[in-house]
Amino acid sequence: FFKPKKKNVSLYFQNLTSIYQSKVNSFKLLNEEDMKSLNFFFKDTKFILSNGIDKIILENDLKNKKIKKENFFFIKKIVNIKPFISKILKVNLDKAVSSDLPKLAGVKENEVLKKHRAIDDVRAIFLSLKELKKKGAFTEETLASFCEMNSE
């Protein structure tokens, strides 16, 4: 969760995400200490999967805050798997939205996942990958190979 530069979050954004101004006001801005914590958290992780341009957004946020991304090795582990998923599902990149993946993958939803809520997007990606792997649409090796080719 990144606090926006502007002081106020638009009503459109609040309605879309259920992230209200009061919640934004209660968070601090991303800082170097937070990045050190993330670096430690991901130290034994080979890849960090992202379904979109999260890495670019993080890098831009760090640049704006004059924090050197080179100090944080975990950033190099972030891989945008949207091209991988869209190819498997045979849909355009713009259709491979995290919250829509379970439906596209044929997941029988047991839980309600809210669109544009980070934890639910993570669940949607996980459930979709799990279902697609179960159906034989890909193997761990093909995903790992994709990640190897698309990481720094």
Side-chain angles (χ1 to χ4, degrees), residues 5-6 8 12-13 15-16 28 36-37 54 58 68 70 82 86 89 94 96 108 125 137 149:
K5 286 184 199 178
K6 293 182 178 182
N8 295 322
Y12 171 79
F13 182 82
N15 290 331
L16 178 69
K28 63 181 182 169
K36 288 177 185 175
S37 295
D54 301 286
L58 176 59
K68 293 182 181 181
E70 296 78 19
K82 187 176 261 197
S86 64
L89 294 172
D94 61 330
K108 309 273 189 288
I125 295 166
M149 291 187 306

Side-chain angles (χ1 to χ4, degrees), residues 100-145:
D100 295 336
L101 292 179
K103 183 177 179 183
L104 292 169
V107 173
K108 309 273 189 288
E109 293 185 49
N110 294 348
E111 57 184 297
V112 176
L113 300 175
K114 188 164 171 102
K115 290 184 175 199
H116 306 293
R117 191 172 136 199
I119 192 66
D120 285 344
D121 283 349
V122 170
R123 286 183 187 128
I125 295 166
F126 170 75
L127 292 171
S128 302
L129 287 174
K130 182 178 172 184
E131 182 69 18
L132 291 167
K133 183 175 179 269
K134 185 171 94 176
K135 290 179 177 177
F138 74 94
T139 64
E140 288 178 30
E141 291 77 20
T142 57
L143 178 57
S145 176

Side-chain angles (χ1 to χ4, degrees), residues 5 55-65:
K5 286 184 199 178
K55 178 179 181 178
I56 294 167
I57 293 168
L58 176 59
E59 289 173 337
N60 287 337
D61 197 37
L62 293 173
K63 184 178 179 181
N64 290 336
K65 291 178 175 64

Side-chain angles (χ1 to χ4, degrees), residues 2-66:
F2 296 99
K3 191 171 185 175
K5 286 184 199 178
K6 293 182 178 182
K7 291 189 180 211
N8 295 322
V9 177
S10 72
L11 289 176
Y12 171 79
F13 182 82
Q14 290 180 54
N15 290 331
L16 178 69
T17 63
S18 297
I19 299 173
Y20 299 101
Q21 189 64 48
S22 59
K23 186 171 188 174
V24 170
N25 292 344
S26 70
F27 284 92
K28 63 181 182 169
L29 292 171
L30 177 70
N31 61 44
E32 209 152 341
E33 288 305 311
D34 296 330
M35 293 299 294
K36 288 177 185 175
S37 295
L38 287 170
N39 219 33
F40 179 78
F41 182 79
F42 288 118
K43 70 180 168 100
D44 296 324
T45 303
K46 188 165 185 177
F47 302 113
I48 302 167
L49 306 182
S50 161
N51 188 44
I53 60 169
D54 301 286
K55 178 179 181 178
I56 294 167
I57 293 168
L58 176 59
E59 289 173 337
N60 287 337
D61 197 37
L62 293 173
K63 184 178 179 181
N64 290 336
K65 291 178 175 64
K66 296 180 178 27

Side-chain angles (χ1 to χ4, degrees), residues 73-86:
F73 66 85
F74 80 91
I75 295 172
K76 292 182 177 185
K77 298 178 179 189
I78 301 172
V79 179
N80 178 5
I81 61 167
K82 187 176 261 197
F84 180 82
I85 292 174
S86 64

